[in-house]
Amino acid sequence: MSNVKVLGVGNLIRQDEGLGIHLLQALQNKLPPVTPSGLELLDGGTGGLVLLDYVESADKLLILDAVAAGRKPGEIVIWQEEEIPYFIASKMTAHQVGLAEVLHWAKFRGKYPQEIVVVGIQPKCLDWGTELSEEVRNSLPAALEEVLNILKKWGVKL
Amino acid sequence: MATKRIVIDPVTRIEGHLRVEAVVEGNKITDAISSGTIFRGLEIILQNRDPRDAWAFAQRICGVCTHVHALASIRAVEDALQITIPKNANLIRNIMSATQDIQDHAVHFYHLHGFDWIDVVSALKADPAQTSAIAMSISKWPLSSTSYFTEIQNKIKKLVESGQLGIFANAYWGHPAYKLPPEVNLLGVAHYLEALNWQKEIVKIHAVFGGKNPHPNYTVGGVPSAINLHSHGVINMERLNLVKSKIDEAKTFIEQVLIPDILAIAGFYKNELWGGGIRNYMSYGDYPQTSINEPDSFLVPRGVVLDGDLTRVYEVDLKDPEQIQEFVDHSWFRYDNPDAGLHPWDGKTEPQYDGPKPPYQYLDENKGYSWSKSPRWQGKPMEVGPLARFVVAYAKGDEEIRHLVDSALQKLDLPLEALFSTLGRTLARALETQHRVNLLEKFYKDLISNIKAGDTATFNNEKWNPETWPAEAQGVGFCEAPRGSLGHWVKIKDGKIANYQAVVPTTWNASPRDAKKQLGAYEASIIDTPLANPEQPLEVLRTIHSFDPCIACACHLLDPQGHELNVVKAY
């Protein structure tokens, strides 16, 4: 089986900005105590370039993140391949070396994973705080289902 | 003479959001304002929480130095509760700090600041054979063949021809302020790519001691790293050997790539010695050999140097209510007495935005214009960071720092005075990696010999239980972060955080002016900068980047629509 990595990113102290990490934790709670072989999970937090190694060493990469997709708050968005913006774009982005730039680097260096999927949720509130908005919280179970389906499709034995 | 006002917003290749407005007369800058345009409200979120948890929140202030905020936070709580830590814990924290400095400085030089000096597009015109000859003349680094540089050049060519510059987009390629010959530009780009490979190795040290990276784990009372040389799942000999190999790799990279590069590049810019700014330098000091409570044991010394006068070093006391104060005259915050300064223990974080309604053309420097406060030491603005640490250490007679500075300046044939400049700031940061990798070797050796002597303690649990705490306590935690002096001040009441204030390095450097109209470090450093082309203020970016700004921040979202980039606009 190919090597599957799940990367949750976001900031836990900016409410919905941290939804990727909340989703990652929900996934971890769903998994057996010993993570299935070939699967790896990482809380990438607010990391930038330090995530490059993790991204480049994946065959299949699943990214969990808050996405500014212009949808209704709480709406789940799934992107694949060319839909994934590989360069930093958003004015809401405070980190200049963010995840999008890391993906760009991996591509430039010829170490892009065979397959990348982003499971994102449109955030509602990015204010200071540790609680998710109600809309995003209500969407987590459905987003988790999507995550599990993708992992199953990739051959992870859950 | 006619003046015009140029705006750079956002300043890119930094952490966070920063806006700079500069008044230009002819081709020279005569006034400047620096504005932090995002609000940092960490202090609010920490109220009433368990002080032992504060580090986990504090480290999310930033995605680059995830170590330093956690460290300042646990040190603040330990200071308040008078908790001492075991020797191994102090050594491991020092190893974590030095690792952070090295990784951060190298990434800053190559990936954030390098393209202020290196022209990527010019590298296409280089003769790879000449680049190879230059590389071999300055270093014994093995990746130096003509075919290697040809391959790199082809990679750039492919990228430029594709029309999708990506990471190389939005720069002033071909700007007259670029001074390097094409061959050196090619060398710079090659090492930019190599640094990318290397930086992801060095941070493995954080993962060993902190369990993971980014955002390693910490604990009040020590470090969360159990040591047993012969056991699995803890810090054992295999893990320690990995750390040693990463230290060795770092030393080779610094000595054979980073330092030769900075000296070669600086040689072409050595006549451009503006950007000195306020010339007041401060370091809280760090890297204690014994305890953080004993500044005399610090391997990075503490002190203040005023007005570039190296004959006198002033003492710094972070607990003295008169020394460090924050003012809000020109910030979007509210104090009961708007003209008074507040010591961070009594600090307030009440936002009160009175700036123009966005989108706006200009900010008004006579009113509030920043989310950054104005911290002052004894009423004076300060510069913090690698240059400040070097100036303080030099003035204090630190032999290793003096040797590093003197030999670099000698190679460049520059006087000591040249340090007080944009170039000096960038040079000091590079030289600091050499200092830190030497420290890494020392701390690693000390750690191994202490463990071999039978001491495996990493955690002191005497005061872990809140029942052992006084009803009220206050403390300050500090460290020298890559970008400069970082302090966290905490007040604890009935086991909970009653007040928390962080004064971060960039708050010192990016500070707006104060009631006495004293400019902050960025603002002062831009003044008198000559611009080759005011429409493309490359020289301003160079100076701002030389401080390695981190407008402590922290949100990132993917945006599928906007392939619009964060453009540096100059109006």
Side-chain angles (χ1 to χ4, degrees):
Chain A
M1 198 191 79
S2 52
N3 124 45
V4 174
K5 301 203 173 191
V6 183
L7 174 63
V9 287
N11 196 335
L12 284 169
I13 58 174
R14 299 296 297 265
Q15 297 203 345
D16 290 346
E17 223 278 322
L19 67 87
I21 313 296
H22 287 272
L23 190 51
L24 185 85
Q25 287 163 351
L27 171 63
Q28 185 148 32
N29 292 337
K30 197 90 180 172
L31 293 174
V34 176
T35 309
S37 73
L39 177 66
E40 204 178 322
L41 272 53
L42 181 73
D43 168 0
T46 51
L49 265 183
V50 292
L51 301 174
L52 186 63
D53 193 34
Y54 188 76
V55 165
E56 289 185 342
S57 61
D59 295 329
K60 295 183 193 295
L61 179 68
L62 181 57
I63 296 169
L64 315 177
D65 196 4
V67 293
R71 310 285 180 86
K72 278 205 315 261
E75 202 167 310
I76 297 165
V77 188
I78 297 175
W79 290 327
Q80 294 175 9
E81 300 306 312
E82 67 282 0
E83 295 168 310
I84 297 168
Y86 66 91
F87 193 74
I88 213 153
S90 161
K91 285 251 159 55
M92 299 171 84
T93 301
H95 281 177
Q96 294 293 326
V97 183
L99 180 61
E101 188 163 344
V102 168
L103 296 182
H104 181 96
W105 270 116
K107 191 164 261 184
F108 181 70
R109 288 152 52 83
K111 296 181 182 176
Y112 207 64
Q114 293 158 17
E115 196 171 349
I116 301 186
V117 176
V118 175
V119 173
I121 302 177
Q122 177 75 38
K124 182 187 186 190
C125 179
L126 304 175
D127 231 326
W128 288 88
T130 54
E131 301 283 311
L132 292 176
S133 68
E134 200 185 336
E135 286 88 339
V136 169
R137 202 166 52 238
N138 290 342
S139 295
L140 280 185
L144 180 59
E145 278 308 307
E146 299 284 359
V147 167
L148 293 169
N149 286 337
I150 293 163
L151 292 180
K152 275 181 211 153
K153 208 178 82 191
W154 283 350
V156 177
K157 292 199 176 60
L158 296 168
Chain B
M1 196 182 282
T3 65
K4 66 176 173 180
R5 196 160 173 132
I6 58 171
V7 178
I8 307 177
D9 184 12
V11 176
T12 57
R13 278 187 276 127
I14 64 165
E15 273 285 309
H17 282 184
L18 174 71
R19 174 186 176 99
V20 169
E21 295 184 12
V23 178
V24 184
E25 269 189 48
N27 275 356
K28 212 159 202 174
I29 292 170
T30 55
D31 199 3
I33 71 170
S34 130
S35 168
T37 50
I38 59 169
F39 167 61
R40 183 170 58 86
L42 178 83
E43 289 84 353
I44 298 167
I45 211 173
L46 282 173
Q47 300 271 346
N48 289 322
R49 291 192 187 266
D50 187 325
R52 293 168 300 182
D53 292 343
W55 67 266
F57 292 88
Q59 82 173 165
R60 302 251 170 185
I61 291 180
C62 177
V64 169
C65 353
T66 60
H67 163 69
V68 293
H69 285 293
L71 180 64
S73 178
I74 52 180
R75 280 178 172 169
V77 175
E78 286 163 359
D79 182 50
L81 303 173
Q82 297 184 328
I83 294 171
T84 55
I85 61 167
K87 187 174 176 182
N88 288 332
N90 182 55
L91 287 168
I92 289 172
R93 288 180 184 181
N94 284 343
I95 290 173
M96 300 278 280
S97 294
T99 301
Q100 174 87 76
D101 280 348
I102 290 168
Q103 191 257 358
D104 205 82
H105 286 355
V107 166
H108 176 260
F109 177 65
Y110 284 108
H111 305 124
L112 303 176
H113 191 29
F115 290 150
D116 299 334
W117 312 94
I118 298 164
D119 183 337
V120 175
V121 175
S122 149
L124 291 175
K125 290 189 277 210
D127 171 3
Q130 274 193 51
T131 301
S132 166
I134 294 169
M136 288 183 200
S137 73
I138 61 172
S139 168
K140 56 181 179 189
W141 183 247
L143 291 171
S144 59
S145 68
T146 303
S147 62
Y148 174 69
F149 290 115
T150 306
E151 189 195 318
I152 300 281
Q153 200 177 33
N154 287 338
K155 258 192 177 169
I156 309 168
K157 205 173 280 171
K158 223 171 101 187
L159 192 73
V160 171
E161 279 166 2
S162 77
Q164 300 239 322
L165 275 175
I167 33 171
F168 299 140
N170 296 304
Y172 299 134
W173 309 129
H175 192 286
Y178 284 115
K179 303 284 186 206
L180 301 181
E183 284 71 24
V184 179
N185 283 318
L186 179 57
L187 183 72
V189 178
H191 290 172
Y192 171 95
L193 294 169
E194 288 171 38
L196 208 53
N197 270 333
W198 164 78
Q199 61 87 27
K200 64 191 175 52
E201 294 301 315
I202 176 92
V203 291
K204 289 183 178 163
I205 296 176
H206 276 184
V208 168
F209 292 116
K212 67 187 277 282
N213 196 63
H215 307 301
N217 293 312
Y218 295 83
T219 186
V220 167
V223 289
S225 337
I227 297 175
N228 182 337
L229 292 186
H230 311 293
S231 182
H232 290 290
V234 294
I235 308 290
N236 54 29
M237 210 56 230
E238 183 269 330
R239 297 277 88 188
L240 289 168
N241 284 338
L242 176 76
V243 170
K244 177 71 168 70
S245 71
K246 297 301 156 196
I247 295 173
D248 292 343
E249 281 171 23
K251 196 173 168 76
T252 308
F253 187 83
I254 288 165
E255 291 178 353
Q256 295 185 12
V257 183
L258 205 157
I259 302 280
D261 279 358
I262 188 81
L263 292 176
I265 292 169
F268 291 94
Y269 289 99
K270 64 182 210 175
N271 296 322
E272 301 178 13
L273 296 174
W274 51 76
I278 50 178
R279 296 184 177 216
N280 295 333
Y281 301 97
M282 181 174 73
S283 164
Y284 294 160
D286 201 347
Y287 295 96
Q289 297 181 86
T290 54
S291 148
I292 196 71
N293 299 319
E294 291 170 5
D296 287 345
S297 82
F298 292 177
L299 290 169
V300 169
R302 168 181 283 190
V304 161
V305 166
L306 293 179
D307 204 25
D309 176 8
L310 296 172
T311 62
R312 185 151 182 209
V313 181
Y314 298 82
E315 291 300 316
V316 179
D317 182 352
L318 283 76
K319 296 183 178 178
D320 179 347
E322 302 300 316
Q323 287 204 12
I324 292 169
Q325 295 183 332
E326 288 193 298
F327 296 82
V328 293
D329 308 78
H330 291 83
S331 313
W332 293 314
F333 293 98
R334 202 189 75 83
Y335 281 180
D336 293 337
N337 176 358
D339 296 326
L342 293 180
H343 183 264
W345 265 331
D346 302 311
K348 284 199 165 67
T349 308
E350 283 179 36
Q352 184 182 53
Y353 184 76
D354 65 351
K357 197 171 172 244
Y360 48 80
Q361 192 180 10
Y362 299 124
L363 290 165
D364 182 353
E365 65 268 31
N366 298 310
K367 295 199 208 154
Y369 64 88
S370 182
W371 284 118
S372 177
K373 296 177 186 173
S374 302
R376 295 292 182 262
W377 177 82
Q378 304 273 31
K380 293 179 171 56
M382 291 287 142
E383 174 176 340
V384 298
L387 176 60
R389 291 191 282 260
F390 265 49
V391 169
V392 168
Y394 198 100
K396 278 197 151 180
D398 183 293
E399 280 180 22
E400 193 180 345
I401 295 293
R402 286 201 166 201
H403 173 71
L404 281 171
V405 170
D406 291 343
S407 53
L409 290 177
Q410 198 187 358
K411 278 186 196 130
L412 292 167
D413 191 23
L414 284 172
L416 190 56
E417 181 81 2
L419 273 187
F420 309 134
S421 67
T422 297
L423 188 68
R425 218 170 271 123
T426 298
L427 182 65
R429 183 174 298 102
L431 296 176
E432 199 170 58
T433 61
Q434 177 77 62
H435 183 265
R436 294 298 189 272
V437 84
N438 295 348
L439 285 189
L440 265 185
E441 286 189 312
K442 174 188 155 43
F443 295 136
Y444 179 81
K445 230 174 92 196
D446 291 352
L447 178 65
I448 295 292
S449 51
N450 199 44
I451 294 171
K452 289 200 167 152
D455 178 4
T456 56
T458 51
F459 176 59
N460 170 5
N461 69 355
E462 276 168 34
K463 291 187 183 163
W464 182 253
N465 188 338
E467 283 167 16
T468 62
W469 301 351
E472 288 189 44
Q474 59 181 20
V476 56
F478 61 90
C479 62
E480 279 298 323
R483 291 163 184 77
S485 309
L486 169 67
H488 286 204
W489 282 259
V490 65
K491 277 192 174 175
I492 300 169
K493 200 174 168 207
D494 301 326
K496 302 273 184 236
I497 292 171
N499 198 9
Y500 200 101
Q501 290 285 318
V503 183
V504 308
T506 299
T507 315
W508 286 98
N509 288 336
S511 140
R513 54 207 76 200
D514 55 31
K516 290 189 245 164
K517 297 214 157 63
Q518 301 180 101
L519 305 190
Y522 289 177
E523 296 178 333
S525 69
I526 306 169
I527 290 174
D528 285 342
T529 300
L531 297 176
N533 173 4
E535 300 298 320
Q536 296 189 336
L538 174 62
E539 299 87 342
V540 175
L541 286 178
R542 206 176 259 168
T543 293
I544 296 291
H545 283 156
S546 76
F547 286 93
D548 191 1
C550 182
I551 312 301
C553 53
C555 54
H556 57 158
L557 276 95
L558 292 168
D559 181 350
Q561 303 115 357
H563 287 290
E564 171 196 7
L565 306 172
N566 278 343
V567 191
V568 179
K569 293 178 189 137
Y571 297 104

Coordinates of all heavy atoms in Angstrom, one line a residue, chain B residues 287-319:
Chain B
Y287 N 20.5 32.0 26.9 CA 21.4 30.9 27.0 C 22.2 30.8 28.3 O 23.4 30.9 28.4 CB 22.4 30.9 25.8 CG 21.7 30.8 24.5 CD1 21.3 31.9 23.7 CD2 21.4 29.5 24.0 CE1 20.6 31.7 22.5 CE2 20.7 29.3 22.8 CZ 20.3 30.5 22.1 OH 19.6 30.3 20.9
P288 N 21.4 30.6 29.4 CA 22.0 30.5 30.7 C 22.8 29.2 30.8 O 22.4 28.2 30.4 CB 20.8 30.5 31.7 CG 19.7 30.0 30.8 CD 19.9 30.5 29.5
Q289 N 24.0 29.4 31.4 CA 24.8 28.1 31.7 C 24.3 27.5 33.0 O 24.4 26.3 33.2 CB 26.3 28.5 31.9 CG 26.8 29.0 30.6 CD 28.3 29.4 30.7 OE1 29.1 28.5 30.5 NE2 28.6 30.6 31.0
T290 N 23.8 28.3 33.9 CA 23.3 27.8 35.2 C 21.8 27.9 35.3 O 21.0 26.9 35.1 CB 23.9 28.5 36.4 OG1 23.7 29.9 36.2 CG2 25.4 28.2 36.5
S291 N 21.3 29.1 35.4 CA 19.8 29.4 35.6 C 19.5 30.7 34.9 O 20.3 31.6 34.9 CB 19.5 29.4 37.1 OG 18.4 30.3 37.3
I292 N 18.2 30.7 34.5 CA 17.7 32.0 33.8 C 17.7 33.1 34.8 O 17.6 34.3 34.4 CB 16.4 31.7 33.2 CG1 16.0 32.8 32.2 CG2 15.3 31.5 34.2 CD1 16.7 32.8 30.9
N293 N 17.8 32.8 36.1 CA 17.8 33.8 37.1 C 19.2 34.4 37.4 O 19.4 35.3 38.2 CB 17.2 33.3 38.5 CG 15.8 32.9 38.3 OD1 15.0 33.5 37.6 ND2 15.5 31.7 38.9
E294 N 20.2 33.9 36.6 CA 21.6 34.4 36.8 C 22.1 34.9 35.5 O 22.8 34.2 34.8 CB 22.4 33.2 37.3 CG 22.1 32.8 38.8 CD 22.7 31.5 39.2 OE1 23.6 31.0 38.5 OE2 22.4 31.1 40.3
P295 N 21.8 36.2 35.3 CA 22.2 36.8 34.0 C 23.8 36.7 33.8 O 24.2 36.7 32.6 CB 21.8 38.3 34.1 CG 20.6 38.2 35.1 CD 21.0 37.1 36.0
D296 N 24.5 36.6 34.9 CA 26.0 36.6 34.7 C 26.4 35.3 34.0 O 27.5 35.2 33.4 CB 26.7 36.7 36.0 CG 26.6 38.1 36.6 OD1 26.3 39.0 35.8 OD2 26.9 38.3 37.8
S297 N 25.5 34.3 34.0 CA 25.9 33.0 33.3 C 25.4 32.9 31.9 O 25.6 31.9 31.2 CB 25.3 31.8 34.1 OG 23.9 31.6 33.8
F298 N 24.8 34.0 31.4 CA 24.3 34.0 30.0 C 25.4 34.0 29.0 O 26.3 34.8 29.1 CB 23.4 35.2 29.7 CG 22.1 35.3 30.5 CD1 21.2 36.4 30.4 CD2 21.7 34.2 31.4 CE1 20.0 36.4 31.1 CE2 20.5 34.3 32.1 CZ 19.7 35.4 31.9
L299 N 25.3 33.1 28.0 CA 26.3 33.1 26.9 C 25.9 34.1 25.8 O 26.7 34.4 24.9 CB 26.4 31.7 26.4 CG 27.1 30.7 27.4 CD1 27.0 29.3 26.9 CD2 28.6 31.1 27.6
V300 N 24.7 34.6 25.8 CA 24.3 35.8 25.0 C 24.0 36.9 26.0 O 23.0 36.8 26.7 CB 23.1 35.5 24.1 CG1 22.6 36.7 23.5 CG2 23.5 34.5 23.0
P301 N 24.9 37.9 26.2 CA 24.8 38.8 27.3 C 23.6 39.8 27.2 O 23.1 40.0 26.1 CB 26.1 39.5 27.3 CG 26.7 39.3 26.0 CD 26.1 38.1 25.4
R302 N 23.3 40.3 28.4 CA 22.2 41.3 28.5 C 22.8 42.7 28.6 O 23.9 42.9 29.1 CB 21.5 40.9 29.9 CG 20.5 42.0 30.3 CD 19.9 41.6 31.7 NE 18.9 40.6 31.4 CZ 18.0 40.2 32.4 NH1 18.1 40.7 33.6 NH2 17.1 39.3 32.1
G303 N 22.0 43.7 28.1 CA 22.4 45.0 28.3 C 21.8 46.0 27.2 O 21.1 45.5 26.3
V304 N 22.0 47.2 27.4 CA 21.6 48.3 26.5 C 22.7 49.1 26.0 O 23.6 49.5 26.9 CB 20.5 49.1 27.1 CG1 20.3 50.4 26.4 CG2 19.1 48.4 27.2
V305 N 22.8 49.4 24.8 CA 23.8 50.3 24.2 C 23.0 51.5 23.6 O 22.1 51.3 22.8 CB 24.7 49.7 23.2 CG1 25.5 50.7 22.4 CG2 25.7 48.7 23.9
L306 N 23.4 52.7 24.0 CA 22.7 53.9 23.5 C 23.5 54.6 22.4 O 24.7 54.8 22.6 CB 22.3 54.8 24.6 CG 21.3 54.3 25.7 CD1 21.0 55.4 26.7 CD2 20.0 53.9 25.0
D307 N 22.8 55.0 21.4 CA 23.4 55.9 20.4 C 24.7 55.4 19.8 O 25.6 56.1 19.5 CB 23.6 57.3 21.0 CG 23.6 58.4 19.9 OD1 23.0 58.1 18.8 OD2 24.3 59.4 20.1
G308 N 24.8 54.1 19.7 CA 26.0 53.5 19.1 C 27.3 53.6 19.9 O 28.4 53.4 19.4
D309 N 27.1 54.0 21.2 CA 28.3 54.3 22.0 C 28.7 53.0 22.7 O 28.1 52.5 23.7 CB 28.0 55.3 23.1 CG 29.1 55.5 24.0 OD1 30.2 55.0 23.8 OD2 28.9 56.3 25.0
L310 N 29.8 52.3 22.1 CA 30.2 51.0 22.6 C 31.0 51.1 23.9 O 31.4 50.0 24.4 CB 31.0 50.3 21.5 CG 30.2 50.0 20.2 CD1 31.2 49.5 19.2 CD2 29.1 49.0 20.5
T311 N 31.2 52.3 24.4 CA 32.0 52.4 25.6 C 31.2 52.2 26.9 O 31.7 52.1 28.0 CB 32.7 53.7 25.7 OG1 31.7 54.8 25.8 CG2 33.6 54.0 24.5
R312 N 29.8 52.1 26.7 CA 29.0 52.0 27.9 C 27.8 51.1 27.7 O 27.2 51.2 26.7 CB 28.5 53.4 28.3 CG 27.7 53.4 29.6 CD 27.7 54.7 30.3 NE 27.0 54.5 31.6 CZ 26.3 55.4 32.2 NH1 26.4 56.7 31.8 NH2 25.6 55.1 33.3
V313 N 27.6 50.1 28.6 CA 26.5 49.2 28.5 C 25.6 49.4 29.8 O 26.1 49.3 30.9 CB 27.0 47.7 28.5 CG1 25.8 46.8 28.3 CG2 27.9 47.5 27.3
Y314 N 24.4 49.6 29.6 CA 23.4 49.9 30.7 C 22.8 48.5 31.1 O 22.6 47.7 30.3 CB 22.3 50.9 30.3 CG 22.9 52.2 29.9 CD1 23.4 52.5 28.6 CD2 22.9 53.3 30.9 CE1 23.9 53.7 28.3 CE2 23.4 54.5 30.5 CZ 23.9 54.7 29.3 OH 24.5 56.0 29.0
E315 N 22.4 48.5 32.3 CA 21.7 47.3 32.8 C 20.3 47.3 32.4 O 19.6 48.3 32.4 CB 21.8 47.2 34.4 CG 23.3 46.9 34.9 CD 23.8 45.6 34.4 OE1 23.1 44.6 34.4 OE2 25.0 45.6 33.9
V316 N 19.7 46.1 32.2 CA 18.3 46.0 31.9 C 17.6 45.2 33.0 O 18.1 44.1 33.4 CB 18.0 45.3 30.6 CG1 16.5 45.1 30.3 CG2 18.7 46.0 29.5
D317 N 16.5 45.7 33.6 CA 15.7 45.0 34.6 C 14.3 44.9 34.1 O 13.6 45.9 34.1 CB 15.8 45.7 35.9 CG 15.1 45.0 37.0 OD1 14.4 44.0 36.7 OD2 15.2 45.4 38.2
L318 N 13.9 43.7 33.8 CA 12.5 43.5 33.2 C 11.4 43.7 34.3 O 10.3 43.8 33.9 CB 12.4 42.1 32.6 CG 13.1 41.9 31.2 CD1 14.6 41.8 31.3 CD2 12.5 40.7 30.5
K319 N 11.8 43.7 35.5 CA 10.8 43.8 36.6 C 10.7 45.2 37.1 O 9.8 45.5 37.9 CB 11.2 42.9 37.7 CG 11.1 41.4 37.3 CD 11.4 40.5 38.5 CE 11.3 39.0 38.0 NZ 11.5 38.0 39.0

